Amino acid sequence: MRAESSPEPPPGIRLDEIVRTEVGVINTRRGGLGRPPLTLHGTGAGSRALDAVGLALSGGGIRSAAFSLGVLQSLNEHGVLKHVDYLSSVSGGGYMGSSLTATMTKTEGGFVFGTTTGPRGAGVVGTQPAPTDVKDSGSVGHIRNYSNYLIPRGARDLVTAVAIVVRGLVANAALVLPFVLLLAVITILGNPNRSDLTGTDFFGFSLAWLPVRYFGITLLITLIGLVLFLAWAVYRSLLPAAEQSEFRTWLPTLAATYLILIAFSFFCELQPFVISGMFALADASGDGDHSVLTSAVKWLATIATPVAAVVTFFRQQLGTLLKSVDRSSGIATKIMALIGKAAIWVAGAALPLLIWIAYIYLCYWGIINDAPLASREAARQPPAIQGSVQIEGPGINLRGTLDCRKIEGRDSCAAQPAAEPAVARGPGDHTPKWLIGTAQALSNGLQAAGVRLPDRVAFRPVTLFYALVGILLFALSYLLRPNANSLHQLYRDRLSKAFLFDPTELARPRSGAREESQDQGRDFAPLDTMRISELVRPRPYAPYHLINAALNVQGSDYANRRGRNADFFLFSPCYVGSEATGYRETLPVESATSLDLATAMAISGAAFSSNMGANSIRPLTPTLAILNVRTGYWLKNPRFIESSTHERRSSIRAPERATKWYLWSEITGRLYEDSDYVYITDGGHIENLGIYELLRRRCRVIVAVDAEADPAMRFPSFIALQRYARIDLGVRITMPWDEIRKSTRAWMGFDPSRPNATPPTQSHGPHTAIGTIEYDGGEIGWLLYIKSSLTGDENDYVRDYARRYDQFPHETTGDQFFSEEQFEVYRALGFHIANRLLNGDDTLQVVGTAGAQLHFRDTHPNIDPVRNALI
């Protein structure tokens, strides 16, 4: 038995050093704003909370970005943003979070997203009045113009995107096809002729001594395995009780490998059987519809392929449906969930099935059909009457067969001799002419060039063609980089165009375009090359930005024991990394990987991926990877990047697992935290609110903006956060949210024009709640939770949109093609909620005050610390 050793901690910077550096940056900004500096009392268990304010913007794509924009506008108008020390963003919240920190850096602390308009009311902020709304600025207009950021120019961008998708599919096919071709070559070389498919030899070695004609090798391996398993049982019976552990010892692993070997042998021996059936039934049909088995496989593929397409497109909705089913769900919901699970498995099998069919056809086309012509013609035209004829007499002894067939509408009977000479045919009667022609031309060219080939291949041009193409593609696959042909770059560029711009400079006109054109005048200069480290250089003007992502570690030994499939990964101006990989300073990571703010923002929002951390759909992983549904990013592992402190290279351990075959790592889910490159995706694949990193820093006050898709109002991301915080950090979060849920569910989709429609009770809140954070050691913090919700007091165009779209404000994240109206209603809702909260006009739920009608301006022990920290 091998004793399990505790994992060695990864190299890199520790959390206390990270927070110490961050506090230094925050204090620099605080000094510029005339605020007192923070005092760090430690980051470990039992240490005091940090008197910092953290703002978290949740995931949710463009929906969350629009809602967060409205909240940020209100926070700025009330003077709250200058009190925010940390900005933690995930996915769609990171669109606006990155835009905010980038523009504040360029304007040296200015807020460019709107100015006050309209009548003002009495606000909470002393004598400073509070606005009822803000009007658009040029920066808001820029984002609004690109709210349909994936295809902002319509058909032109759509066709361009399709071309990029096709390029990625071809690149992935070039990675998969060599293996299919080379496997076909091996199969053909082992069974060069049709007669070999049902023979009892293996690459020329006779297997006639086996007791069965088919699957003899599998049977032999199975019988040997039974003997070995019996020997294993006897061996264990002789061991002392103290040495009979079954956990991670080498014999169970070896036995499991042997079972896989049996299954693999069966699958390999099945292929000749299938190909032989294709030949036999092709003879019978004569029309190319090769066999019943082939027809069945094609039928399954025909059904599975469209199911795969639908499931791939709606996988997020299916995932949401499956997660929402509980004991209280109705029978219809449970049936739909079962259908969804079945569809996922069918979709997951579709692409491997199609690849298998391609392999079978490649083998079928390459194997020579050496069956006698007479028997094949007889199989194609079943006789109407068939029998034997025997004539005996003095000196006469004639035997033969009588075969009557339908020929050109008339019956024809002929007596045929008992033994007709066999006429062999080549591959031309079942192999496509283009394939034969291309293969023959290649073979002739090689022979003319004096290339000597093995006899087993030289006279089989199709096999030679497969082998050379497979080897060529295999060599070219080394040139394909993982991020070059995924959808990440397209996604990153479109996001950057929409959200990362310099509000102080207009974009240069295109060559040949009029400099003062109307369209060009509304566009700002891009910031698509801005580095993350520039957010604090030469000095910080914005809250310290934490960009959250998910480190996929489906194959990890110790980091994945909890079944999360991911670890928390962080991009920030000073440090990059995770607990699993270790952290490195951002500057050397940027230099080693060409990392910039746009890339980090896109990684944090990489929701479409083959591997999606805790949200991974295992049956779909191979399909999504091969179909290039991949917006994730392969990043050089921070633990193997040389530190800016010039530590010696020998102090950094060499990679334990070198991830050379990126696509195969994604297909199989063999992703590790100690490989030379790691796969990073959407932060929402592990924690979708962005609060976790703020809890790790023990922030005293956290403002959370939750705009995720939650049509059932079950608060799934918040509940997941409570679990992570309790397990990982020893932190307990208590927050009431039942009234928010009740009101929103009543107003979602309500249409007063419907017959017998009973309007819900209109109320001013609650849209928000205040809960407590109990850190280990007894330290208390507070969480102000702003939820995308409805109470019926929203403005007219928000209510009108809600009547027409019953999923508002929780429309699917799959919709990233927002219109002007759609973007505006979410922005207006965000501003409405935050503005009425800070004005003290709306009620809010406060922990420990069930049923009380409290406002943000009221005096209460759980409200006062939050208000004092923000104002």
Side-chain angles (χ1 to χ4, degrees):
M1 171 185 175
R2 179 176 60 86
E4 183 185 7
S5 58
S6 59
E8 180 182 349
I13 297 94
R14 302 303 173 197
L15 181 62
D16 56 350
E17 183 179 344
I18 292 172
V19 177
R20 189 178 301 110
T21 302
E22 293 173 351
V23 168
V25 173
I26 290 170
N27 283 338
T28 301
R29 175 172 175 261
R30 279 190 165 219
L33 295 173
R35 298 175 58 206
L38 291 173
T39 301
L40 181 63
H41 300 282
T43 60
S47 60
R48 288 184 56 186
L50 181 65
D51 291 323
V53 175
L55 172 62
L57 304 180
S58 80
I62 191 66
R63 179 192 62 250
S64 177
F67 185 85
S68 296
L69 171 60
V71 173
L72 290 172
Q73 288 174 327
S74 178
L75 296 181
N76 177 69
E77 291 297 327
H78 286 273
V80 173
L81 275 183
K82 67 180 181 180
H83 296 280
V84 175
D85 300 303
Y86 281 105
L87 173 62
S88 180
S89 65
V90 183
S91 191
Y95 303 171
M96 272 313 305
S98 299
S99 190
L100 175 71
T101 54
T103 54
M104 290 184 75
T105 299
K106 282 296 181 179
T107 59
E108 298 185 352
F111 184 83
V112 300
F113 298 107
T115 56
T116 304
T117 185
R120 296 168 172 261
V124 175
V125 192
T127 59
Q128 182 71 21
T132 58
D133 207 342
V134 294
K135 67 178 181 181
D136 279 5
S137 64
S139 297
V140 175
H142 176 93
I143 292 177
R144 193 185 301 279
N145 291 339
Y146 284 94
S147 59
N148 187 9
Y149 67 92
L150 289 177
I151 49 172
R153 296 182 182 179
R156 173 183 172 182
D157 286 333
L158 178 60
V159 174
T160 302
V162 170
I164 293 172
V165 170
V166 172
R167 183 197 67 199
L169 288 173
V170 172
N172 282 3
L175 292 170
V176 175
L177 189 57
F179 294 92
V180 179
L181 286 170
L182 295 177
L183 284 174
V185 169
I186 293 172
T187 303
I188 294 170
L189 293 180
N191 306 275
N193 303 308
R194 174 178 175 178
S195 57
D196 297 321
L197 292 169
T198 56
T200 56
D201 70 285
F202 181 73
F203 285 93
F205 296 98
S206 175
L207 299 177
W209 52 275
L210 290 173
V212 293
R213 184 174 184 182
Y214 299 117
F215 302 103
I217 296 177
T218 303
L219 177 61
L220 179 63
I221 296 175
T222 302
L223 293 175
I224 295 174
L226 293 176
V227 174
L228 293 176
F229 273 81
L230 178 60
W232 183 21
V234 174
Y235 170 74
R236 277 188 53 82
S237 300
L238 299 176
L239 284 176
E243 299 180 12
Q244 292 193 358
S245 174
E246 299 272 23
F247 183 71
R248 292 188 179 178
T249 53
W250 67 274
L251 279 176
T253 302
L254 186 62
T257 305
Y258 198 91
L259 292 177
I260 295 173
L261 175 63
I262 294 174
F264 179 73
S265 173
F266 175 81
F267 181 77
C268 291
E269 289 196 284
L270 178 66
Q271 310 314 305
F273 181 78
V274 175
I275 300 169
S276 177
M278 291 176 66
F279 275 110
L281 292 176
D283 291 343
S285 62
D287 57 3
D289 188 10
H290 305 297
S291 68
V292 173
L293 180 60
T294 304
S295 299
V297 172
K298 289 165 62 178
W299 179 75
L300 290 174
T302 302
I303 294 177
T305 301
V307 172
V310 172
V311 171
T312 300
F313 189 79
F314 293 104
R315 64 193 179 280
Q316 286 187 320
Q317 291 84 343
L318 278 173
T320 301
L321 171 65
L322 297 179
K323 288 182 178 180
S324 65
V325 175
D326 55 26
R327 292 183 179 180
S328 63
S329 300
I331 185 65
T333 303
K334 293 180 179 179
I335 291 175
M336 288 299 295
L338 289 174
I339 295 174
K341 287 182 180 180
I344 286 174
W345 280 101
V346 171
L351 193 57
L353 185 63
L354 290 175
I355 293 174
W356 181 54
I357 291 174
Y359 157 77
I360 292 296
Y361 269 95
L362 289 171
C363 296
Y364 174 71
W365 291 335
I367 294 174
I368 291 178
N369 190 355
D370 62 350
L373 177 62
S375 63
R376 293 164 61 189
E377 293 298 331
R380 289 183 175 182
Q381 296 185 15
I385 303 174
Q386 186 175 16
S388 61
V389 178
Q390 181 172 343
I391 304 175
E392 295 183 359
I396 301 176
N397 187 359
L398 178 64
R399 292 184 175 86
T401 60
L402 181 65
D403 190 353
C404 299
R405 302 174 183 271
K406 283 279 187 181
I407 300 178
E408 296 181 354
R410 59 188 178 82
D411 293 334
S412 176
C413 299
Q416 299 187 16
E420 181 179 345
V423 179
R425 281 191 177 185
D429 61 340
H430 66 285
T431 305
K433 296 294 188 294
W434 66 265
L435 180 58
I436 296 176
T438 304
Q440 191 63 57
L442 177 63
S443 178
N444 294 339
L446 289 174
Q447 291 180 4
V451 178
R452 295 182 59 84
L453 299 169
D455 292 341
R456 201 174 184 90
V457 176
F459 302 107
R460 299 178 183 275
V462 173
T463 308
L464 175 63
F465 177 73
Y466 289 170
L468 292 180
V469 172
I471 293 172
L472 177 63
L473 291 177
F474 193 80
L476 289 176
S477 66
Y478 275 93
L479 302 178
L480 297 176
R481 293 181 296 163
N483 299 320
N485 295 293
S486 72
L487 297 179
H488 164 81
Q489 191 66 37
L490 173 65
Y491 180 53
R492 177 248 186 222
D493 290 347
R494 298 287 167 87
L495 273 180
S496 177
K497 181 64 176 175
F499 292 95
L500 294 182
F501 54 88
D502 185 349
T504 66
E505 181 182 352
L506 292 178
R508 295 179 181 179
R510 299 185 300 275
S511 176
R514 289 184 301 145
E515 186 171 355
E516 299 299 329
S517 69
Q518 184 179 10
D519 289 341
Q520 190 67 29
R522 286 203 299 262
D523 258 359
F524 292 105
L527 289 178
D528 56 337
T529 60
M530 186 179 192
R531 298 293 184 93
I532 310 174
S533 57
E534 292 180 42
L535 298 177
V536 295
R537 291 187 299 154
R539 56 167 297 179
Y541 294 100
Y544 189 86
H545 197 177
L546 307 174
I547 303 174
N548 296 273
L551 168 69
N552 284 261
V553 286
Q554 279 81 345
S556 173
D557 184 20
Y558 69 87
N560 193 34
R561 288 176 183 166
R562 298 169 183 171
R564 294 180 184 176
N565 295 323
D567 190 28
F568 301 89
F569 197 91
L570 178 68
F571 298 98
S572 76
C574 294
Y575 296 99
V576 171
S578 70
E579 287 291 304
T581 63
Y583 295 88
R584 290 291 177 191
E585 294 93 338
T586 301
L587 279 172
V589 175
E590 288 175 333
S591 300
T593 62
S594 300
L595 178 68
D596 52 35
L597 181 60
T599 299
M601 174 180 66
I603 294 171
S604 179
F608 299 95
S609 181
S610 53
N611 293 270
M612 299 181 288
N615 297 334
S616 295
I617 305 175
R618 281 300 182 95
L620 286 181
T621 294
T623 298
L624 296 177
I626 296 174
L627 293 181
N628 204 37
V629 185
R630 306 159 52 239
T631 53
Y633 191 83
W634 283 94
L635 180 74
K636 188 171 183 179
N637 196 326
R639 74 164 65 190
F640 304 125
I641 295 177
E642 188 171 351
S643 173
S644 60
T645 57
H646 305 292
E647 61 183 312
R648 292 183 303 171
R649 191 69 186 172
S650 59
S651 65
I652 304 177
R653 294 183 303 164
E656 295 183 10
R657 299 181 178 94
T659 312
K660 299 299 183 186
W661 299 99
Y662 306 100
L663 182 64
W664 295 107
S665 296
E666 291 187 49
I667 289 174
T668 60
R670 307 304 293 170
L671 303 170
Y672 303 94
E673 75 283 354
D674 55 1
S675 56
D676 52 349
Y677 279 74
V678 289
Y679 191 58
I680 316 295
T681 59
D682 194 317
H685 291 161
I686 187 168
E687 197 268 303
N688 201 37
L689 296 179
I691 299 176
Y692 185 89
E693 290 293 341
L694 299 176
L695 295 176
R696 290 187 67 205
R697 286 152 177 78
R698 303 175 70 85
C699 290
R700 181 77 68 180
V701 174
I702 298 175
V703 180
V705 180
D706 183 358
E708 72 167 351
D710 183 18
M713 291 297 286
R714 296 177 182 270
F715 293 65
S717 291
F718 178 75
I719 292 172
L721 170 72
Q722 286 180 309
R723 184 176 74 253
Y724 292 148
R726 174 66 186 86
I727 293 172
D728 297 355
L729 308 175
V731 174
R732 292 180 176 86
I733 303 174
T734 305
M735 189 193 70
W737 47 264
D738 54 301
E739 290 298 325
I740 301 175
R741 177 183 187 274
K742 185 185 303 182
S743 174
T744 302
R745 290 294 299 162
W747 281 101
M748 280 180 64
F750 170 72
D751 185 355
S753 64
R754 294 174 183 170
N756 302 320
T758 303
T761 303
Q762 187 182 62
S763 62
H764 299 300
H767 294 281
T768 58
I770 291 179
T772 57
I773 305 170
E774 184 182 345
Y775 293 107
D776 53 0
E779 284 286 302
I780 298 296
W782 288 269
L783 175 63
L784 173 59
Y785 193 80
I786 300 174
K787 180 72 171 178
S788 181
S789 52
L790 301 173
T791 61
D793 65 342
E794 296 78 24
N795 67 35
D796 289 343
Y797 59 80
V798 173
R799 288 297 316 134
D800 177 69
Y801 187 90
R803 282 191 290 269
R804 290 183 286 122
Y805 299 93
D806 58 5
Q807 293 295 298
F808 177 80
H810 296 288
E811 293 170 294
T812 172
T813 308
D815 179 10
Q816 294 293 293
F817 306 91
F818 269 31
S819 63
E820 175 185 285
E821 178 192 25
Q822 199 172 8
F823 185 88
E824 171 58 19
V825 293
Y826 279 101
R827 184 215 63 83
L829 179 62
F831 184 89
H832 167 82
I833 291 174
N835 192 55
R836 289 187 62 85
L837 165 73
L838 296 173
N839 279 346
D841 295 335
D842 276 4
T843 61
L844 73 160
Q845 288 190 262
V846 180
V847 64
T849 60
Q853 296 290 314
L854 294 175
H855 300 77
F856 195 64
R857 61 172 175 259
D858 293 337
T859 300
H860 188 276
N862 289 335
I863 299 178
D864 296 342
V866 180
R867 185 174 61 246
N868 294 338
L870 299 182
I871 299 172

